[in-house]
Coordinates of all heavy atoms in Angstrom, one line a residue:
M1 N 12.2 12.5 21.3 CA 11.4 13.4 20.5 C 10.8 14.5 21.3 O 10.7 14.4 22.5 CB 10.3 12.6 19.8 CG 10.7 11.5 18.9 SD 11.5 12.3 17.4 CE 12.4 10.9 16.9
N2 N 10.4 15.6 20.6 CA 9.9 16.8 21.3 C 8.4 16.5 21.8 O 7.7 15.7 21.2 CB 9.8 18.0 20.4 CG 11.2 18.4 20.0 OD1 12.2 18.2 20.7 ND2 11.4 18.9 18.8
N3 N 8.0 17.2 22.8 CA 6.6 17.1 23.3 C 5.8 17.9 22.3 O 5.9 19.1 22.1 CB 6.5 17.7 24.7 CG 5.1 17.6 25.2 OD1 4.2 17.4 24.5 ND2 5.0 17.8 26.5
P4 N 4.8 17.2 21.6 CA 4.0 17.8 20.6 C 3.1 18.9 21.1 O 2.6 19.7 20.3 CB 3.2 16.7 19.9 CG 3.2 15.7 21.0 CD 4.4 15.8 21.8
W5 N 2.8 19.0 22.4 CA 1.8 19.9 22.9 C 2.4 21.2 23.3 O 1.7 22.1 23.7 CB 1.1 19.2 24.1 CG 0.8 17.8 23.8 CD1 1.3 16.7 24.4 CD2 -0.1 17.3 22.7 NE1 0.8 15.6 23.8 CE2 0.0 15.9 22.8 CE3 -0.8 17.9 21.7 CZ2 -0.8 15.1 21.9 CZ3 -1.6 17.1 20.9 CH2 -1.5 15.7 21.0
T6 N 3.7 21.4 23.2 CA 4.3 22.7 23.7 C 5.1 23.4 22.6 O 5.9 24.3 22.8 CB 5.3 22.4 24.8 OG1 6.3 21.5 24.4 CG2 4.6 21.8 26.0
A7 N 4.9 23.0 21.3 CA 5.6 23.6 20.2 C 5.1 25.0 19.9 O 4.0 25.4 20.1 CB 5.4 22.7 19.0
A8 N 6.1 25.8 19.4 CA 5.7 27.2 19.0 C 5.1 27.3 17.6 O 4.5 28.2 17.2 CB 7.0 28.1 19.1
A9 N 5.4 26.3 16.8 CA 4.9 26.3 15.4 C 3.3 26.2 15.4 O 2.7 25.7 16.3 CB 5.4 25.0 14.6
S10 N 2.7 26.8 14.4 CA 1.3 26.9 14.4 C 0.6 25.6 14.0 O -0.5 25.3 14.3 CB 0.8 28.0 13.4 OG 1.3 27.8 12.1
H11 N 1.4 24.7 13.3 CA 0.8 23.4 12.9 C 1.8 22.3 13.4 O 3.0 22.5 13.4 CB 0.8 23.3 11.4 CG -0.2 24.3 10.8 ND1 0.2 25.6 10.5 CD2 -1.5 24.2 10.4 CE1 -0.8 26.2 9.9 NE2 -1.8 25.4 9.9
K12 N 1.2 21.2 13.9 CA 2.0 20.1 14.4 C 1.7 18.8 13.7 O 0.5 18.6 13.4 CB 1.8 20.0 15.9 CG 2.2 21.2 16.7 CD 1.6 21.1 18.1 CE 1.8 22.4 18.8 NZ 0.9 23.5 18.4
I13 N 2.7 18.1 13.3 CA 2.5 16.8 12.7 C 3.1 15.8 13.8 O 4.3 15.9 14.0 CB 3.2 16.6 11.4 CG1 2.6 17.6 10.4 CG2 3.0 15.2 10.9 CD1 3.3 17.7 9.1
V14 N 2.3 15.0 14.3 CA 2.8 14.1 15.4 C 2.7 12.6 14.9 O 1.6 12.2 14.5 CB 2.0 14.2 16.7 CG1 2.6 13.4 17.8 CG2 2.0 15.7 17.1
V15 N 3.8 11.9 15.0 CA 3.9 10.5 14.5 C 4.0 9.6 15.6 O 4.9 9.8 16.5 CB 5.0 10.4 13.5 CG1 5.1 9.0 13.0 CG2 4.9 11.4 12.3
C16 N 3.3 8.5 15.7 CA 3.4 7.5 16.7 C 4.8 6.8 16.5 O 5.1 6.4 15.4 CB 2.3 6.4 16.6 SG 2.5 5.1 17.8
T17 N 5.5 6.7 17.6 CA 6.9 6.1 17.5 C 6.9 4.7 18.0 O 7.9 4.0 18.1 CB 7.9 6.9 18.4 OG1 7.4 7.0 19.7 CG2 8.1 8.3 17.8
E18 N 5.7 4.2 18.4 CA 5.6 2.8 18.9 C 4.9 1.8 18.0 O 4.7 0.7 18.4 CB 4.9 2.8 20.3 CG 5.8 3.5 21.4 CD 7.1 2.9 21.6 OE1 7.2 1.6 21.7 OE2 8.1 3.6 21.6
C19 N 4.5 2.3 16.9 CA 3.8 1.4 15.9 C 4.7 0.2 15.7 O 5.9 0.3 15.4 CB 3.4 2.1 14.7 SG 2.0 3.2 14.9
Q20 N 4.1 -1.0 15.7 CA 4.9 -2.3 15.6 C 5.5 -2.6 14.2 O 6.4 -3.3 14.2 CB 4.0 -3.4 16.1 CG 3.7 -3.3 17.6 CD 5.0 -3.3 18.4 OE1 5.9 -4.1 18.3 NE2 5.1 -2.3 19.3
R21 N 4.8 -2.2 13.2 CA 5.4 -2.4 11.9 C 6.8 -1.8 11.8 O 6.9 -0.6 12.2 CB 4.5 -1.9 10.8 CG 4.8 -2.4 9.4 CD 3.8 -2.1 8.4 NE 2.9 -1.0 8.7 CZ 2.4 -0.2 7.9 NH1 2.6 -0.4 6.6 NH2 1.6 0.8 8.2
S22 N 7.8 -2.4 11.3 CA 9.1 -1.8 11.3 C 9.6 -1.6 9.9 O 9.2 -2.2 8.9 CB 10.1 -2.7 12.0 OG 10.2 -4.0 11.4
K23 N 10.6 -0.7 9.8 CA 11.3 -0.3 8.5 C 12.7 -0.7 8.8 O 13.5 0.0 9.4 CB 11.1 1.1 8.2 CG 11.9 1.6 7.1 CD 11.4 1.1 5.8 CE 12.2 1.7 4.6 NZ 11.9 1.0 3.4
G24 N 13.1 -1.9 8.4 CA 14.4 -2.4 8.7 C 14.6 -2.7 10.1 O 13.8 -3.4 10.7
S25 N 15.5 -2.1 10.8 CA 15.8 -2.4 12.2 C 15.1 -1.3 13.1 O 15.3 -1.4 14.3 CB 17.3 -2.4 12.5 OG 17.9 -1.2 12.1
E26 N 14.5 -0.3 12.5 CA 13.9 0.7 13.4 C 12.3 0.7 13.2 O 11.8 0.2 12.3 CB 14.4 2.1 13.0 CG 13.9 2.6 11.6 CD 14.4 3.9 11.2 OE1 14.6 4.8 12.1 OE2 14.7 4.2 10.1
K27 N 11.7 1.2 14.2 CA 10.2 1.3 14.2 C 9.8 2.3 13.1 O 10.5 3.3 12.9 CB 9.6 1.7 15.5 CG 9.8 0.6 16.5 CD 9.0 0.8 17.8 CE 9.2 -0.5 18.6 NZ 8.6 -0.3 19.9
L28 N 8.7 2.1 12.4 CA 8.3 2.8 11.3 C 8.1 4.3 11.6 O 8.5 5.2 10.8 CB 7.0 2.3 10.7 CG 6.5 2.9 9.4 CD1 7.6 2.7 8.3 CD2 5.2 2.2 9.0
G29 N 7.7 4.7 12.8 CA 7.4 6.1 13.1 C 8.6 6.9 13.0 O 8.6 8.1 12.5
H30 N 9.8 6.5 13.4 CA 11.0 7.2 13.3 C 11.4 7.5 11.9 O 11.9 8.6 11.5 CB 12.1 6.5 14.1 CG 11.9 6.4 15.6 ND1 11.9 7.5 16.4 CD2 11.5 5.3 16.3 CE1 11.6 7.1 17.6 NE2 11.4 5.8 17.6
F31 N 11.2 6.5 11.0 CA 11.5 6.7 9.6 C 10.5 7.7 9.0 O 10.9 8.6 8.2 CB 11.3 5.3 8.9 CG 11.5 5.3 7.4 CD1 12.8 5.4 6.9 CD2 10.5 5.4 6.6 CE1 13.0 5.4 5.6 CE2 10.6 5.4 5.2 CZ 11.9 5.4 4.7
V32 N 9.2 7.6 9.4 CA 8.2 8.6 8.8 C 8.6 10.0 9.3 O 8.5 10.9 8.5 CB 6.8 8.2 9.3 CG1 5.8 9.2 8.9 CG2 6.4 6.8 8.6
I33 N 9.0 10.2 10.5 CA 9.4 11.5 11.0 C 10.5 12.1 10.1 O 10.4 13.3 9.7 CB 9.8 11.5 12.5 CG1 8.6 11.2 13.4 CG2 10.4 12.8 12.9 CD1 8.9 10.9 14.8
R34 N 11.5 11.4 9.9 CA 12.6 11.8 9.1 C 12.2 12.1 7.7 O 12.7 13.1 7.1 CB 13.8 10.8 9.1 CG 14.6 10.9 10.4 CD 16.0 10.2 10.3 NE 15.9 8.9 9.5 CZ 15.6 7.8 10.1 NH1 15.2 7.7 11.3 NH2 15.6 6.7 9.4
Q35 N 11.3 11.3 7.1 CA 10.8 11.5 5.8 C 10.0 12.8 5.7 O 10.2 13.6 4.7 CB 10.0 10.3 5.4 CG 9.8 10.2 3.9 CD 9.1 8.9 3.5 OE1 8.2 8.5 4.2 NE2 9.6 8.2 2.5
I36 N 9.2 13.1 6.6 CA 8.4 14.3 6.6 C 9.3 15.5 6.8 O 9.1 16.5 6.1 CB 7.3 14.3 7.7 CG1 6.2 13.2 7.4 CG2 6.6 15.6 7.9 CD1 5.3 12.9 8.6
Q37 N 10.2 15.4 7.7 CA 11.1 16.6 8.0 C 11.9 16.9 6.7 O 12.1 18.0 6.4 CB 12.1 16.3 9.1 CG 11.4 16.3 10.5 CD 12.2 15.8 11.6 OE1 13.1 14.9 11.4 NE2 12.0 16.3 12.8
G38 N 12.4 15.8 6.0 CA 13.1 16.0 4.8 C 12.3 16.7 3.7 O 12.8 17.6 3.0
N39 N 11.0 16.3 3.6 CA 10.2 16.9 2.6 C 9.8 18.3 2.9 O 9.7 19.2 2.0 CB 8.9 16.1 2.5 CG 9.1 14.7 1.7 OD1 10.0 14.6 1.0 ND2 8.3 13.8 2.1
L40 N 9.7 18.6 4.2 CA 9.4 20.0 4.6 C 10.6 20.9 4.3 O 10.5 22.1 3.9 CB 9.1 20.1 6.1 CG 7.7 19.8 6.4 CD1 7.5 19.7 7.9 CD2 6.7 20.7 5.8
K41 N 11.8 20.4 4.4 CA 13.0 21.2 4.1 C 13.1 21.6 2.6 O 13.7 22.6 2.2 CB 14.3 20.4 4.4 CG 14.5 20.3 5.9 CD 15.8 19.6 6.3 CE 15.9 19.4 7.8 NZ 17.0 18.6 8.2
L42 N 12.4 20.8 1.8 CA 12.4 21.1 0.3 C 11.3 22.2 0.0 O 11.3 22.6 -1.2 CB 12.1 19.8 -0.5 CG 13.1 18.7 -0.3 CD1 12.6 17.5 -1.1 CD2 14.4 19.1 -0.8
T43 N 10.5 22.6 0.9 CA 9.5 23.5 0.7 C 9.9 25.0 1.0 O 11.0 25.2 1.5 CB 8.2 23.3 1.5 OG1 8.5 23.4 2.9 CG2 7.6 21.9 1.3
E44 N 9.1 25.9 0.7 CA 9.4 27.3 1.0 C 9.7 27.5 2.5 O 9.0 26.9 3.3 CB 8.2 28.2 0.5 CG 8.4 29.6 0.7 CD 7.2 30.4 0.2 OE1 6.6 30.0 -0.8 OE2 6.9 31.4 0.9
Q45 N 10.6 28.3 2.8 CA 11.0 28.5 4.2 C 9.8 28.9 5.1 O 9.7 28.3 6.2 CB 12.1 29.6 4.3 CG 12.7 29.7 5.7 CD 13.5 28.5 6.1 OE1 14.1 27.8 5.3 NE2 13.6 28.2 7.4
S46 N 8.9 29.8 4.7 CA 7.8 30.2 5.6 C 6.9 29.0 5.8 O 6.3 28.9 6.9 CB 7.1 31.4 4.9 OG 6.5 31.0 3.7
I47 N 6.7 28.1 4.9 CA 5.9 27.0 5.0 C 6.5 26.0 6.0 O 5.9 25.5 6.9 CB 5.5 26.3 3.7 CG1 4.7 27.2 2.8 CG2 4.9 24.9 3.9 CD1 4.5 26.7 1.4
S48 N 7.8 25.7 5.8 CA 8.6 24.8 6.6 C 8.6 25.2 8.1 O 8.4 24.4 9.0 CB 10.0 24.7 6.1 OG 10.8 23.8 6.9
N49 N 8.7 26.6 8.3 CA 8.7 27.1 9.7 C 7.4 27.0 10.4 O 7.3 27.1 11.6 CB 9.2 28.5 9.7 CG 10.7 28.6 9.4 OD1 11.4 27.7 9.5 ND2 11.1 29.8 8.9
A50 N 6.3 26.9 9.6 CA 5.0 26.8 10.2 C 4.7 25.4 10.8 O 3.7 25.3 11.5 CB 3.9 27.1 9.2
Y51 N 5.5 24.4 10.5 CA 5.2 23.0 11.0 C 6.3 22.5 11.9 O 7.5 22.7 11.7 CB 5.2 22.1 9.8 CG 3.9 22.3 8.9 CD1 3.9 23.2 7.9 CD2 2.8 21.5 9.1 CE1 2.7 23.4 7.1 CE2 1.7 21.7 8.4 CZ 1.6 22.6 7.4 OH 0.5 22.8 6.6
Q52 N 5.8 21.9 12.9 CA 6.7 21.1 13.8 C 6.4 19.7 13.6 O 5.2 19.3 13.7 CB 6.6 21.5 15.3 CG 7.5 20.7 16.1 CD 7.1 20.6 17.6 OE1 6.0 21.0 17.9 NE2 8.0 20.1 18.4
V53 N 7.4 18.9 13.4 CA 7.2 17.4 13.3 C 7.9 16.7 14.5 O 9.0 17.0 14.8 CB 7.9 16.9 12.0 CG1 7.6 15.4 11.8 CG2 7.4 17.6 10.8
S54 N 7.1 15.9 15.2 CA 7.6 15.2 16.3 C 7.0 13.9 16.5 O 6.1 13.5 15.8 CB 7.4 16.1 17.6 OG 6.0 16.2 17.8
G55 N 7.5 13.1 17.4 CA 7.0 11.8 17.7 C 6.4 11.8 19.1 O 6.7 12.6 20.0
H56 N 5.5 10.8 19.3 CA 4.8 10.6 20.6 C 4.7 9.1 20.8 O 4.4 8.4 19.8 CB 3.5 11.3 20.6 CG 2.9 11.4 21.9 ND1 3.4 12.2 22.9 CD2 1.8 10.8 22.5 CE1 2.6 12.0 24.0 NE2 1.7 11.2 23.8
A57 N 4.9 8.6 22.0 CA 4.9 7.2 22.2 C 3.7 6.4 21.8 O 3.8 5.3 21.3 CB 5.2 6.9 23.7
C58 N 2.5 7.0 21.9 CA 1.3 6.3 21.5 C 0.2 7.3 21.1 O -0.1 8.2 21.8 CB 0.8 5.3 22.6 SG -0.6 4.3 22.0
L59 N -0.4 7.1 19.9 CA -1.5 7.9 19.5 C -2.8 7.0 19.5 O -3.8 7.5 18.9 CB -1.3 8.5 18.1 CG -0.1 9.4 18.0 CD1 0.1 9.9 16.6 CD2 -0.3 10.6 18.9
A60 N -2.8 5.9 20.1 CA -3.9 5.0 20.3 C -4.5 4.6 19.0 O -5.7 4.4 18.8 CB -5.0 5.6 21.2
G61 N -3.7 4.4 18.0 CA -4.1 3.9 16.7 C -3.4 2.6 16.4 O -3.1 2.3 15.2
C62 N -3.2 1.8 17.4 CA -2.4 0.6 17.3 C -2.9 -0.4 16.2 O -2.1 -1.2 15.6 CB -2.3 -0.1 18.6 SG -1.6 0.9 19.9
K63 N -4.2 -0.4 15.9 CA -4.7 -1.3 15.0 C -4.4 -0.9 13.5 O -4.5 -1.7 12.6 CB -6.3 -1.3 15.1 CG -6.9 -2.4 14.4 CD -8.4 -2.5 14.8 CE -9.1 -3.6 14.0 NZ -10.6 -3.6 14.4
Y64 N -3.9 0.4 13.4 CA -3.7 0.9 12.0 C -2.3 1.6 12.0 O -2.2 2.8 11.8 CB -4.7 2.0 11.7 CG -6.1 1.4 11.7 CD1 -6.9 1.7 12.9 CD2 -6.6 0.6 10.7 CE1 -8.2 1.1 12.9 CE2 -7.9 0.1 10.8 CZ -8.7 0.4 11.9 OH -9.9 -0.2 12.0
P65 N -1.2 0.9 12.1 CA 0.1 1.5 12.1 C 0.5 1.9 10.7 O 0.0 1.3 9.7 CB 1.0 0.4 12.6 CG 0.3 -0.9 12.3 CD -1.1 -0.6 12.4
C66 N 1.1 2.9 10.5 CA 1.7 3.9 11.4 C 0.6 5.1 11.5 O 0.0 5.5 10.5 CB 3.0 4.4 10.8 SG 3.8 5.7 11.7
T67 N 0.4 5.6 12.7 CA -0.6 6.6 12.9 C 0.1 8.0 13.0 O 1.1 8.1 13.6 CB -1.3 6.3 14.3 OG1 -1.8 4.9 14.2 CG2 -2.4 7.2 14.5
V68 N -0.6 8.9 12.4 CA -0.1 10.3 12.3 C -1.2 11.3 12.6 O -2.3 11.1 12.1 CB 0.5 10.7 10.9 CG1 1.0 12.1 10.8 CG2 1.6 9.7 10.5
A69 N -0.9 12.3 13.5 CA -1.9 13.3 13.8 C -1.5 14.6 13.2 O -0.3 15.0 13.2 CB -2.0 13.4 15.4
F70 N -2.5 15.4 12.8 CA -2.3 16.8 12.3 C -3.0 17.7 13.3 O -4.2 17.5 13.4 CB -2.8 17.0 10.9 CG -2.0 16.2 9.9 CD1 -2.2 14.9 9.6 CD2 -0.9 16.9 9.2 CE1 -1.5 14.2 8.7 CE2 -0.2 16.2 8.3 CZ -0.4 14.9 8.0
L71 N -2.3 18.6 13.9 CA -2.9 19.4 15.0 C -2.6 20.9 14.7 O -1.6 21.3 14.2 CB -2.2 19.1 16.3 CG -2.1 17.6 16.7 CD1 -1.2 17.5 17.9 CD2 -3.5 17.1 17.1
C72 N -3.6 21.7 15.0 CA -3.5 23.2 14.9 C -4.4 23.8 15.9 O -5.6 23.4 16.1 CB -3.9 23.6 13.5 SG -3.6 25.4 13.2
D73 N -3.9 24.8 16.6 CA -4.7 25.5 17.6 C -6.0 26.1 17.0 O -6.0 26.6 15.9 CB -3.9 26.7 18.2 CG -2.8 26.1 19.1 OD1 -2.8 25.0 19.5 OD2 -1.8 26.9 19.3
K74 N -7.1 25.9 17.7 CA -8.4 26.4 17.3 C -8.9 25.9 15.9 O -9.7 26.6 15.2 CB -8.4 28.0 17.3 CG -8.1 28.5 18.6 CD -8.1 30.0 18.6 CE -7.7 30.5 20.0 NZ -7.5 31.9 20.1
K75 N -8.4 24.7 15.5 CA -8.9 24.1 14.3 C -9.2 22.6 14.6 O -8.8 22.1 15.6 CB -7.7 24.1 13.2 CG -7.2 25.5 12.9 CD -8.0 26.1 11.8 CE -7.3 27.4 11.4 NZ -7.9 28.0 10.3
T76 N -9.8 22.0 13.7 CA -10.1 20.5 13.8 C -8.8 19.8 13.7 O -7.9 20.1 12.9 CB -11.1 20.1 12.7 OG1 -12.3 20.8 12.7 CG2 -11.4 18.6 12.8
N77 N -8.6 18.8 14.5 CA -7.4 17.9 14.5 C -7.8 16.6 13.8 O -8.9 16.2 13.9 CB -6.9 17.7 15.9 CG -6.5 18.9 16.6 OD1 -5.8 19.7 16.1 ND2 -7.0 19.1 17.8
Y78 N -6.8 16.1 13.1 CA -7.0 14.8 12.4 C -6.1 13.8 12.8 O -4.9 14.0 13.1 CB -6.9 15.1 10.9 CG -7.9 16.0 10.3 CD1 -7.6 17.4 10.2 CD2 -9.1 15.6 9.9 CE1 -8.6 18.3 9.7 CE2 -10.1 16.4 9.4 CZ -9.8 17.8 9.3 OH -10.7 18.6 8.8
L79 N -6.5 12.5 12.8 CA -5.7 11.4 13.1 C -5.8 10.4 12.0 O -7.0 10.0 11.6 CB -6.2 10.7 14.4 CG -5.3 9.5 14.9 CD1 -3.9 10.0 15.3 CD2 -6.0 8.9 16.1
F80 N -4.7 10.0 11.3 CA -4.7 9.1 10.2 C -4.0 7.8 10.6 O -3.0 7.9 11.3 CB -4.0 9.7 9.0 CG -4.8 10.9 8.5 CD1 -4.4 12.2 8.9 CD2 -5.8 10.8 7.6 CE1 -5.0 13.3 8.4 CE2 -6.4 11.9 7.1 CZ -6.1 13.2 7.5
G81 N -4.5 6.7 10.1 CA -3.8 5.4 10.3 C -3.4 4.8 9.0 O -3.9 5.2 7.9
D82 N -2.7 3.7 9.1 CA -2.2 3.0 7.9 C -1.4 3.9 7.0 O -1.5 3.8 5.7 CB -3.3 2.3 7.1 CG -3.9 1.1 7.8 OD1 -3.1 0.5 8.6 OD2 -5.0 0.8 7.7
V83 N -0.6 4.8 7.5 CA 0.2 5.7 6.7 C 1.3 4.9 6.1 O 2.0 4.2 6.7 CB 0.8 6.9 7.6 CG1 1.7 7.8 6.8 CG2 -0.4 7.7 8.1
Q84 N 1.5 5.1 4.8 CA 2.5 4.4 4.0 C 3.7 5.3 3.8 O 3.6 6.5 3.8 CB 1.9 4.0 2.7 CG 0.7 3.1 2.8 CD 1.0 1.8 3.4 OE1 2.0 1.1 3.1 NE2 0.2 1.4 4.4
T85 N 4.9 4.7 3.5 CA 6.1 5.5 3.2 C 6.4 5.3 1.7 O 5.9 4.5 1.0 CB 7.2 5.0 4.1 OG1 7.5 3.6 3.7 CG2 6.9 5.1 5.5
D86 N 7.4 6.2 1.3 CA 7.8 6.1 -0.1 C 8.6 4.8 -0.4 O 8.6 4.4 -1.5 CB 8.7 7.3 -0.4 CG 7.9 8.6 -0.5 OD1 6.6 8.5 -0.7 OD2 8.5 9.7 -0.5
S87 N 9.2 4.3 0.6 CA 10.1 3.1 0.4 C 9.8 2.1 1.4 O 9.2 2.2 2.3 CB 11.5 3.5 0.3 OG 11.9 4.3 1.4

């Protein structure tokens, strides 16, 4: 996955790729990344280009898998745990 700290996009969505809960044979984080990327492709191009979605090995939210961070330069950053998927 890409390094979330060097992206050119103004907003970053970073998903933990090591959360232990799994979706079939893969870790849940990889599934969540693909799901977010797919949903962004359905949005207006200018919105989709403003976001970079990537994975990071650990976001220190192990007690609440799957953990997702929302980052933006010069703005408050958010970390969410227990993120659910559509399926």
Side-chain angles (χ1 to χ4, degrees):
M1 297 291 160
N2 297 330
N3 182 342
W5 316 115
T6 60
S10 60
H11 297 84
K12 299 166 189 72
I13 301 171
V14 183
V15 180
C16 178
T17 57
E18 293 299 313
C19 286
Q20 291 302 309
R21 193 169 22 149
S22 63
K23 174 71 177 165
S25 62
E26 68 179 328
K27 291 192 177 175
L28 186 59
H30 297 286
F31 179 79
V32 171
I33 291 168
R34 282 197 318 278
Q35 198 171 44
I36 293 169
Q37 288 171 331
N39 288 334
L40 281 173
K41 287 179 184 176
L42 299 176
T43 65
E44 183 180 322
Q45 187 70 26
S46 62
I47 294 172
S48 180
N49 289 340
Y51 288 86
Q52 179 201 12
V53 181
S54 63
H56 192 69
C58 183
L59 296 177
C62 302
K63 191 172 180 180
Y64 305 100
C66 181
T67 305
V68 177
F70 290 87
L71 311 167
C72 186
D73 292 338
K74 300 179 184 175
K75 304 268 183 176
T76 301
N77 297 311
Y78 294 94
L79 183 66
F80 296 94
D82 287 331
V83 174
Q84 302 295 312
T85 63
D86 288 343
S87 45

